[in-house]
Amino acid sequence: MTNNVNERTKDPHVCGLTCLGPLTFHPGAVGKKITLSQGNCRASRDLETFRDGLVFSSRPVKPKEKVWFRVERSLLAWEGGVRVGFTNVCPTTAGPLPPLACPDLTDKPGYWALPVPQRDCPPGTMVSFWMDSTGLLCYKTPAETLCNQTDLDLSRPLWAIIDVYGQSTTVLLLGSVRSLNRFIKTSSCPIPRSTFECGYEDTPPELKKTIAERKLKQHQEDQSNNNNSQRTGCSKQDLCAVCLDREARLAPQCGHRCLCLPCANRVFEEFGTCPLCRQII
């Protein structure tokens, strides 16, 4: 047994057989728009963008070790929620980080992530995610539990991934818990105490202007698409499977041409599956 003071909490903490050690965000592998604080347990993304918010665990986590975090701040100007996952690739050897977990990382071998719908992770929401012993990636929110089979190698180290994406702008890593059996649980060292207030951010003025311009452009494109549909006489089979209004011009990887551009963005951010066959996009 090691009788050390946990420097992260400034409180006496005895690391015994049931302690998994410290768990923070890796300070050497953060997205371009991320700032770490609270002993590298809080990750905050720049409000001017919805992406470049990747963070990784400071150490590998074990199968069935549940990683917990809280969504502290959100910005309604953006769409989508956090992404969670795991990788066999050491974060410090991966090179420059891309803007997004999905699909930038998940298109590469050794990475897997799932989107958490924005409706399920407003400020104050506690989220846990883990890899089970069969290779299932699972996450749990107060609203739902979702699992997806991965091809990650459980015999190799696994680093946790959180993409502070979309509406979610600040998350606090709360640590991890792993059950050895019905009676014994192991957990990471305590995190620094926090009185941070959860809630919604005010939209920056420049971002408000950008959003207004984007909405005007989208409205003009929608009007143009509607006019084109009327001129070409689109059949019901040619229409977007989501809005049933605009012409379906885009097809996910499964090959179903079933989405217009506005609905494709929403489906990718909120659901991540084809609306026809439910294959992961």
Side-chain angles (χ1 to χ4, degrees), residues 28-57:
V30 296
K32 290 190 296 184
K33 299 299 183 178
I34 284 289
T35 300
L36 298 182
S37 60
Q38 196 73 13
N40 292 332
C41 289
R42 177 175 288 119
S44 301
R45 193 193 73 239
D46 191 327
L47 301 183
E48 298 291 344
T49 183
F50 61 89
R51 59 186 195 171
D52 287 306
L54 283 167
V55 285
F56 297 82
S57 60

